[in-house]
Amino acid sequence: MDLSDARRQVTEINAFQAQSKYAHAIEITTPALFNRLEKSVGGSTSSSNQHLPVKKCLSLKIKCRELDDLDELSGLILEIEFPLDYPSGSTCQIHAINNGANAAGVGTKITTYLESFVGCECLELVLDWLSDNNSTCLQCNNDASSDTPGMVECYILRYNHLLAGPEHKKEKAMVDTAKKSKLQGGLLWGTPGIVVVVPPSTEEDAKEYAVDSREIGKRPDGVESMHLPESGMEEAGLGGVGQQK
């Protein structure tokens, strides 16, 4: 992680926590990492090109019930992850939960909105989007409902670089790690490389595998929720770690 990105991430979070209207709405879910980064950027006099040995991503929650003028979103919680190259090279990753249920449609809408803001801090943009779409944003979750007959929620990890195949050291480590954790799904070698995580593996399993991948040296863009037809999973080899070219 570049020191300049770490400094901008810490500064962004501190700026929001310092505002009384956001103090109770924002919860840092990686407090130990945040404290470590805060100390690193606060005591550093080195060039902004310095690289910090950080592999885990900062993450936080925004609880809409604690925000003024968002009464229609009182049950909505946004789980936000800052990629290691955020904000200089990417935008934050959004996962939305409404009244305890996955609200994938909301997360997708916000993520799409943020795509044109690479290089910018995103928290204020996210809050502006919520304010502008307060009365309608939960409607966009209908298409992603987990109640869709014949569809199941899966999780996609995209690697925007080559995954060359299990005969290579890092790729073999990916397969071994997936088998060790009994991850259910499949890998698609190539560019981009793709990992599909299917039930009974969960979103948390997918996120843990994303962290493991980064430690191996293969970094996914994030974890994306997607509904896929249940009927084709067995035929596609998605019940263990199926490998496809």
Side-chain angles (χ1 to χ4, degrees), residues 32 56 59 67 69-70 88 98 169-170 181 206 221 227:
K56 188 176 180 180
S59 61
L67 295 171
D69 303 322
L70 292 181
S88 66
N98 187 49
K169 183 177 179 181
K170 290 182 179 180
S181 60
D221 283 348
H227 284 75

Short mmCIF file of all heavy atoms in Angstrom, two decimals, residues 32 56 59 67 69-70 88 98 169-170 181 206 221 227:
data_model
loop_
_atom_site.label_atom_id
_atom_site.label_comp_id
_atom_site.label_asym_id
_atom_site.label_seq_id
_atom_site.Cartn_x
_atom_site.Cartn_y
_atom_site.Cartn_z
N ALA A 32 -7.97 -2.20 14.50
CA ALA A 32 -6.54 -2.39 14.72
C ALA A 32 -5.73 -1.91 13.51
O ALA A 32 -4.69 -1.24 13.65
CB ALA A 32 -6.24 -3.85 15.02
N LYS A 56 -4.19 -6.31 4.29
CA LYS A 56 -5.62 -6.28 4.59
C LYS A 56 -6.18 -4.90 4.27
O LYS A 56 -5.48 -3.90 4.36
CB LYS A 56 -5.84 -6.61 6.07
CG LYS A 56 -7.30 -6.78 6.46
CD LYS A 56 -7.41 -7.20 7.92
CE LYS A 56 -8.86 -7.39 8.33
NZ LYS A 56 -8.99 -7.79 9.75
N SER A 59 -11.96 -1.30 6.38
CA SER A 59 -13.38 -1.41 6.12
C SER A 59 -14.17 -0.71 7.22
O SER A 59 -13.68 -0.53 8.34
CB SER A 59 -13.82 -2.87 6.00
OG SER A 59 -13.56 -3.57 7.20
N LEU A 67 -28.35 8.65 10.53
CA LEU A 67 -28.21 9.83 9.69
C LEU A 67 -29.53 10.59 9.60
O LEU A 67 -30.59 9.98 9.49
CB LEU A 67 -27.76 9.43 8.28
CG LEU A 67 -26.36 8.79 8.18
CD1 LEU A 67 -26.15 8.24 6.78
CD2 LEU A 67 -25.28 9.80 8.52
N ASP A 69 -32.52 12.78 8.01
CA ASP A 69 -33.22 12.91 6.72
C ASP A 69 -33.14 11.65 5.86
O ASP A 69 -33.35 11.71 4.64
CB ASP A 69 -32.69 14.09 5.92
CG ASP A 69 -32.81 15.40 6.68
OD1 ASP A 69 -33.83 15.57 7.38
OD2 ASP A 69 -31.89 16.23 6.58
N LEU A 70 -32.83 10.49 6.48
CA LEU A 70 -32.83 9.24 5.72
C LEU A 70 -33.77 8.23 6.39
O LEU A 70 -33.46 7.05 6.50
CB LEU A 70 -31.41 8.66 5.62
CG LEU A 70 -30.39 9.43 4.78
CD1 LEU A 70 -29.04 8.70 4.77
CD2 LEU A 70 -30.87 9.62 3.35
N SER A 88 -6.37 6.46 -5.07
CA SER A 88 -5.64 6.88 -6.28
C SER A 88 -5.96 6.00 -7.48
O SER A 88 -6.00 6.49 -8.61
CB SER A 88 -4.13 6.86 -6.02
OG SER A 88 -3.68 5.53 -5.80
N ASN A 98 -30.14 -4.57 4.13
CA ASN A 98 -31.34 -3.87 4.55
C ASN A 98 -32.16 -4.76 5.48
O ASN A 98 -32.61 -5.83 5.09
CB ASN A 98 -32.19 -3.46 3.34
CG ASN A 98 -33.37 -2.59 3.72
OD1 ASN A 98 -33.20 -1.61 4.45
ND2 ASN A 98 -34.55 -2.94 3.25
N LYS A 169 2.97 -21.51 -9.69
CA LYS A 169 3.10 -21.53 -8.23
C LYS A 169 1.97 -20.81 -7.51
O LYS A 169 1.32 -21.37 -6.62
CB LYS A 169 4.44 -20.93 -7.81
CG LYS A 169 4.70 -20.98 -6.31
CD LYS A 169 6.08 -20.43 -5.97
CE LYS A 169 6.33 -20.47 -4.47
NZ LYS A 169 7.67 -19.92 -4.13
N LYS A 170 1.70 -19.56 -7.89
CA LYS A 170 0.68 -18.78 -7.19
C LYS A 170 -0.72 -19.34 -7.45
O LYS A 170 -1.56 -19.39 -6.54
CB LYS A 170 0.76 -17.31 -7.59
CG LYS A 170 2.01 -16.60 -7.08
CD LYS A 170 2.00 -15.13 -7.48
CE LYS A 170 3.24 -14.41 -6.95
NZ LYS A 170 3.26 -12.98 -7.34
N SER A 181 -9.93 -24.77 2.65
CA SER A 181 -11.06 -24.12 3.31
C SER A 181 -12.40 -24.71 2.87
O SER A 181 -13.45 -24.21 3.28
CB SER A 181 -11.04 -22.62 3.03
OG SER A 181 -11.12 -22.37 1.64
N ALA A 206 -16.20 -16.05 0.78
CA ALA A 206 -15.65 -15.40 -0.40
C ALA A 206 -14.70 -14.27 0.00
O ALA A 206 -13.63 -14.09 -0.60
CB ALA A 206 -16.78 -14.87 -1.28
N ASP A 221 -10.58 -7.66 -7.50
CA ASP A 221 -11.12 -6.31 -7.39
C ASP A 221 -12.04 -6.16 -6.19
O ASP A 221 -12.26 -5.07 -5.69
CB ASP A 221 -11.90 -5.94 -8.66
CG ASP A 221 -10.96 -5.58 -9.80
OD1 ASP A 221 -9.76 -5.41 -9.54
OD2 ASP A 221 -11.43 -5.50 -10.95
N HIS A 227 -26.79 -13.33 -8.78
CA HIS A 227 -27.71 -14.46 -8.76
C HIS A 227 -27.57 -15.27 -10.03
O HIS A 227 -27.65 -14.74 -11.14
CB HIS A 227 -29.15 -13.97 -8.58
CG HIS A 227 -29.45 -13.55 -7.18
ND1 HIS A 227 -28.98 -12.36 -6.65
CD2 HIS A 227 -30.15 -14.15 -6.18
CE1 HIS A 227 -29.39 -12.26 -5.40
NE2 HIS A 227 -30.10 -13.33 -5.09
#
